[in-house]
Amino acid sequence: MYRAHIIVEGIVQGVGFRPSVYRLADETGLTGYVRNIGNAVEIVVEGERSRLDEFIARLKTEKPPISRISNVNVDFERIGKLSFHDFSIKESSSEFSGTSVIPADVATCDLCLGEIMDEDNRRHLYPFTACTDCGPRFTVIESVPYDRERTSMREFPLCESCMEEYLNPLDRRYHAEATCCPECGPELFLYREKVMETDDPIMRAAELLDMGKIIAFKGIGGTHLVCRADDDDAVMELRSRLGRPGQPFACMSPDLESIRRYAVVSEREEKVLKSRRRPIVVLNKSRDYCLAPSVAPGLHNIGVMLPYSGLHHVLFRYTDAPAYVMTSANRPGDPMLVRNRDIIEGLDGIADYFLLHNRRIVNRCDDSVVRFRGGEMAFIRRSRGYAPEPYDLTGISGDVSALCLGPELDVTFSVLRKGQCYVSQHIGNTSRYDTFLFLKEAVEHLMNITGTDELDVVACDLHPRFLTTGYAEEMAEELSAEILRVQHHHAHSLALMFDNMVDECICIAADGVGYGDDGTSWGGEILHCTGPEYRRVGSLMPQKMPGGDLATRYPARMLLSILGEYHDAEELREIFTGRYIHYFPHGEREIDTVIKQLESGLNVSLSTSTGRVLDAISAALNICGRRTYEGECAMKLESAAFAARGRLKIPFEVKRSKGRYILNTSGILLQVMDLLERGEDVNEIAYAGQRAVAEGLAEMAVLAAADTGVECIGGTGGVFYNEAISLAVKDYINREGYGFIQHRNSCAGDGSVSLGQAVLASLKHG
């Protein structure tokens, strides 16, 4: 006889793993026990060696659908006789700390949904129905091991019927920590100045939405502001109250049939929409688009998701709406609201009514967002449904312990422990103090549930004035850790290279802004990356930014600056007062001020940003010259180009200067203006302009690859969310005989900067 002592690490707690072990031990005739220990699962089984081998093999292949095993450690011991008479599931212990983590929240499963919709079931229309295969995980956990008493569900003692399910190893709700029913679980209520008297708060909320009202809807990981997406008056009123004049709103539809009434859905997009993760998927609008024009104004696409909680499913039962707007309930720049009092106070004057419940949200978690480029999925935001599932960095190093704090905008942070990199949920803009506080709370919590109490390295962006940089310095001093400052685009590139398992690459890093190692703003870079080292081998032409950040909010300033190299002051005044004065809040006086700034060099910075060039093209074509949300001008340029047939072409020029290749973006802008003067179609010019930028970046990368002998070229940064640019770069590079890689399981934008920082920490300190 033999005894096997097994430690299983990965996503193995709160996913039905222990009952599956129980059933497997029963089928193979083994005795022993299974229990949660710290962040892992411990299994002790006894019996014949052949049966133990069968058990271990099946353990890896017959695991629950949500689980993911990263490591199995087995120690065998020969024994004289059995120590156990049967197999049992023991109480959890905190004596061991492995490298597992709580799984992400997943959508309501079909079995639970069937119960919700079954009139004869005791959970009929109960919106908090869940089991081991579905429901909240990360958003309710307080500490590990993952048991009910360590979640916000501990405030809802189980009734007799639920307890019977919870204690039965053969039931799918065995130790389903979020399980409950109408008798013992969370309760919903509708609020307006006071709790409203109604027998069915969800049905009443649906009636109010049909009347054009706006409702704050507290869900699983946060709160949404909701209105009918086919009611333009309601959508415009929501915009007015929120102060978001043009930012696209995400929508939720009850089913795919409803989505197809206003959007085009491919087979791959359908698969992701229906997946357990249930992200927002950016889809192209259909010709029969039937939602309000104000949902995603000026864009050819729209963000859509399917219901992922019982709350959503029950809400749609009471309406014929093809879609609801479901946008995060917060004022611009602030974190999403999760506490009932904060929701009521913070959204006073924005929401007409509040559909709330009494379960605490421990970890707020925004919706994830993805889109497809040439049939391949790309993360725009990796959050609910994915975070904080770890990336496996053990192939680089398993020794270093690090906290990586990302940049400033679209921030995530990462905790690196024993080779597992846990990337947080979406945090947001940490230049806002409330969001910065959210970051600090989330860091403390994720370090706690991953068992990280010591750090070797704290990594941050190179920018000296980011709040995340200051926080990194504080944490490094407090924990006696080394601080690692990582150049922004190098971090982008390392995340890309890790995602594709390459050690050397010519990386095109194209985005809005990143602090360069020369103290200027970068954003259109060609980097030769080898292991932990990089060299800047190309970039866009440095352009002047009059007024600094003002040029990001009013891209006509960038356009004026670029054209200023080719026109005198009087010509500039004539062009900009005649065509673009509406983009300058202070009219002619401001135009004169900008011209003087450029002449004197006062309050003028330099930037190689691709985003700023695309913004300038957008302003030149009068598509968008005043940014009201991040990426607006470039997104609207992409949508204008989407309508083109591609009959125009703008040539580009790449020069060699000061040891690197330079793309002449001024020449591209001049040709854009010339085509506009000739009366060419704006959509066609938009297409030609962004394609010239894309192919210019690709040409520099190809030249750098030829110089260095590198065969792999990659694209990273927020510009690579643009499908047309991504495909143009890929096609150009492939035609030249080089392979092209993009992000697959990480974000092209700033959401994966912390992952890249963690990769560098592993390379340098592992």
Side-chain angles (χ1 to χ4, degrees):
M1 291 292 179
Y2 284 84
R3 176 185 299 133
H5 183 253
I6 307 168
I7 300 295
V8 184
E9 298 175 284
I11 299 172
V12 289
Q13 291 192 15
V15 292
F17 192 80
R18 286 177 297 169
S20 73
V21 171
Y22 177 94
R23 290 189 289 271
L24 185 56
D26 183 64
E27 291 173 15
T28 50
L30 301 176
T31 62
Y33 68 85
V34 61
R35 65 173 176 168
N36 287 336
I37 51 171
N39 281 330
V41 167
E42 177 190 41
I43 306 168
V44 173
V45 280
E46 295 181 342
E48 296 176 2
R49 179 60 188 260
S50 61
R51 293 191 177 185
L52 291 177
D53 290 340
E54 178 190 352
F55 174 87
I56 293 167
R58 291 176 63 185
L59 181 71
K60 298 174 182 178
T61 59
E62 299 179 19
K63 56 187 177 58
I66 306 178
S67 65
R68 192 173 80 199
I69 295 174
S70 60
N71 194 36
V72 178
N73 291 310
V74 185
D75 289 321
F76 287 103
E77 176 186 359
R78 185 185 290 273
I79 57 175
K81 62 179 181 178
L82 298 177
S83 303
F84 303 95
H85 300 294
D86 57 13
F87 193 87
S88 64
I89 300 176
K90 285 189 172 186
E91 291 294 316
S92 299
S93 168
S94 59
E95 66 187 44
F96 176 86
S97 182
T99 59
S100 301
V101 75
I102 301 307
D105 294 14
V106 290
T108 302
C109 69
D110 289 341
L111 289 174
C112 283
L113 184 57
E115 293 173 338
I116 293 171
M117 298 305 171
D118 183 356
E119 293 183 3
D120 297 324
N121 193 283
R122 69 189 185 93
R123 292 186 170 89
H124 177 53
L125 299 184
Y126 185 61
F128 300 98
T129 299
C131 71
T132 52
D133 287 342
C134 68
R137 298 291 197 280
F138 176 61
T139 55
V140 297
I141 184 176
E142 295 175 328
S143 62
V144 293
Y146 179 60
D147 289 310
R148 192 177 180 95
E149 62 266 25
R150 298 180 186 89
T151 73
S152 57
M153 291 302 296
R154 63 185 165 82
E155 296 159 14
F156 304 97
L158 292 170
C159 66
E160 185 176 342
S161 297
C162 286
M163 183 62 78
E164 185 177 338
E165 297 169 337
Y166 186 81
L167 295 177
N168 180 3
L170 300 179
D171 195 286
R172 82 174 200 277
R173 290 195 169 91
Y174 178 78
H175 276 266
E177 312 304 354
T179 190
C180 55
C181 75
E183 185 177 336
C184 61
E187 298 177 349
L188 276 172
F189 59 94
L190 193 61
Y191 183 93
R192 185 182 186 182
E193 297 181 350
K194 63 178 182 179
V195 176
M196 299 174 62
E197 293 185 10
T198 175
D199 293 333
D200 192 334
I202 300 183
M203 181 173 69
R204 181 60 181 144
E207 292 171 350
L208 291 165
L209 289 168
D210 286 345
M211 294 166 56
K213 301 300 182 182
I214 297 167
I215 294 182
F217 183 102
K218 182 182 177 184
I220 301 301
T223 308
H224 286 109
L225 285 164
V226 184
C227 68
R228 281 191 66 127
D230 57 351
D231 184 340
D232 198 55
D233 289 340
V235 178
M236 290 301 292
E237 182 63 24
L238 177 57
R239 289 199 175 284
S240 175
R241 294 180 188 181
L242 270 177
R244 296 181 192 166
Q247 185 173 3
F249 288 143
C251 293
M252 179 181 285
S253 284
D255 48 43
L256 279 167
E257 182 182 352
S258 299
I259 294 174
R260 288 195 171 100
R261 292 172 59 186
Y262 59 87
V264 179
V265 186
S266 70
E267 288 186 13
R268 291 185 179 182
E269 289 166 338
E270 176 180 338
K271 185 177 179 180
V272 174
L273 280 165
K274 294 168 67 176
S275 72
R276 291 174 173 271
R277 315 283 194 170
R278 293 291 166 94
I280 296 169
V281 180
V282 179
L283 304 172
N284 288 341
K285 294 175 181 176
S286 67
R287 291 182 179 179
D288 300 323
Y289 179 81
C290 63
L291 302 185
S294 54
V295 171
L299 301 179
H300 71 286
N301 46 27
I302 183 171
V304 186
M305 57 183 156
L306 286 171
Y308 56 83
S309 75
L311 285 162
H312 301 132
H313 286 289
V314 176
L315 179 66
F316 276 110
R317 187 175 181 271
Y318 296 116
T319 183
D320 63 354
Y324 286 130
V325 165
M326 286 263 178
T327 190
S328 297
N330 54 276
R331 295 183 185 274
D334 290 339
M336 186 166 49
L337 299 167
V338 295
R339 298 181 181 90
N340 288 350
R341 179 179 295 180
D342 294 340
I343 294 167
I344 292 169
E345 293 178 356
L347 299 176
D348 182 35
I350 296 177
D352 297 310
Y353 296 87
F354 302 82
L355 184 62
L356 307 173
H357 58 76
N358 60 344
R359 181 170 68 194
R360 285 187 300 114
I361 297 171
V362 179
N363 299 299
R364 59 166 64 86
C365 200
D366 277 280
D367 297 313
S368 294
V369 185
V370 305
R371 74 174 295 186
F372 281 75
R373 303 165 307 187
E376 297 180 0
M377 193 188 89
F379 279 102
I380 295 176
R381 185 166 71 199
R382 182 184 181 272
S383 195
R384 177 193 48 78
Y386 299 91
E389 292 180 7
Y391 294 92
D392 187 357
L393 268 62
T394 52
I396 304 173
S397 169
D399 298 328
V400 65
S401 179
L403 170 64
C404 307
L405 291 169
E408 181 178 56
L409 300 177
D410 292 329
V411 164
T412 67
F413 66 90
S414 293
V415 174
L416 177 62
R417 185 175 186 274
K418 294 187 177 180
Q420 300 299 306
C421 183
Y422 305 92
V423 179
S424 74
Q425 71 272 46
H426 172 74
I427 302 297
N429 179 2
T430 55
S431 67
R432 303 276 297 195
Y433 187 64
D434 285 348
T435 306
F436 178 64
L437 292 180
F438 167 37
L439 167 69
K440 298 179 76 170
E441 292 170 3
V443 165
E444 181 179 355
H445 188 78
L446 191 56
M447 288 182 66
N448 176 41
I449 64 174
T450 56
T452 307
D453 50 14
E454 295 182 353
L455 293 173
D456 301 312
V457 178
V458 180
C460 62
D461 196 87
L462 199 61
H463 200 296
R465 292 192 297 275
F466 285 173
L467 289 179
T468 50
T469 302
Y471 181 37
E473 293 166 350
E474 292 175 15
M475 290 292 287
E477 183 176 355
E478 179 182 333
L479 297 174
S480 300
E482 181 175 337
I483 192 161
L484 177 65
R485 304 177 195 274
V486 187
Q487 199 281 321
H488 184 86
H489 300 99
H490 187 208
H492 271 294
S493 301
L494 288 170
L496 170 71
M497 293 166 66
F498 164 75
D499 204 352
N500 290 273
M501 294 299 170
V502 298
D503 298 323
E504 185 175 16
C505 187
I506 299 295
C507 292
I508 306 170
D511 61 3
V513 63
Y515 192 80
D517 58 23
D518 60 358
T520 66
S521 293
W522 291 5
E525 311 308 313
I526 311 299
L527 304 181
H528 177 202
C529 299
T530 308
E533 306 299 328
Y534 78 95
R535 186 166 61 92
R536 190 187 192 197
V537 293
S539 77
L540 301 192
M541 174 187 291
Q543 299 287 2
K544 297 175 182 177
M545 292 179 59
D549 286 346
L550 276 176
T552 68
R553 287 160 49 197
Y554 300 100
R557 285 174 167 255
M558 285 298 303
L559 178 62
L560 193 157
S561 170
I562 294 170
L563 296 181
E565 300 176 41
Y566 304 94
H567 297 280
D568 61 28
E570 285 305 315
E571 290 172 332
L572 288 173
R573 287 189 188 94
E574 182 179 349
I575 293 170
F576 281 83
T577 56
R579 296 180 182 174
Y580 306 111
I581 195 166
H582 52 293
Y583 290 144
F584 293 85
H586 303 289
E588 291 187 36
R589 181 162 56 91
E590 185 173 351
I591 292 171
D592 286 338
T593 299
V594 173
I595 292 171
K596 290 176 182 176
Q597 279 183 304
L598 292 169
E599 290 173 343
S600 66
L602 294 176
N603 195 22
V604 174
S605 56
L606 288 177
S607 175
T608 55
S609 166
T610 310
R612 301 292 78 79
V613 172
L614 295 173
D615 288 354
I617 296 173
S618 188
L621 298 177
N622 267 307
I623 293 169
C624 181
R626 185 175 297 182
R627 191 200 74 189
T628 63
Y629 60 88
E630 193 67 31
E632 178 179 7
C633 298
M635 288 167 63
K636 288 183 174 177
L637 178 69
E638 178 188 4
S639 289
F642 182 78
R645 290 180 295 172
R647 61 177 180 80
L648 295 180
K649 185 173 180 63
I650 292 177
F652 57 86
E653 179 188 26
V654 172
K655 295 181 178 180
R656 182 91 174 171
S657 175
K658 298 181 180 178
R660 70 176 191 264
Y661 294 106
I662 303 291
L663 174 62
N664 182 358
T665 49
S666 295
I668 294 173
L669 260 294
L670 279 177
Q671 292 177 80
V672 165
M673 297 298 291
D674 182 58
L675 290 170
L676 191 62
E677 285 282 346
R678 286 160 42 188
E680 294 286 356
D681 180 76
V682 166
N683 295 333
E684 295 293 342
I685 304 173
Y687 178 91
Q690 71 175 18
R691 187 175 185 87
V693 173
E695 293 189 341
L697 286 165
E699 171 67 8
M700 289 192 293
V702 166
L703 291 170
D707 292 343
T708 57
V710 176
E711 295 183 356
C712 176
I713 299 174
T716 186
V719 167
F720 282 92
Y721 291 140
N722 181 310
E723 182 177 29
I725 288 179
S726 296
L727 294 179
V729 170
K730 179 181 179 180
D731 290 346
Y732 192 98
I733 287 169
N734 289 162
R735 285 198 306 270
E736 295 295 323
Y738 292 91
F740 183 66
I741 60 172
Q742 293 194 78
H743 291 264
R744 300 178 299 170
N745 298 309
S746 57
C747 301
D750 285 3
S752 285
V753 166
S754 67
L755 170 62
Q757 293 171 346
V759 172
L760 187 61
S762 294
L763 289 169
K764 285 198 166 186
H765 300 276

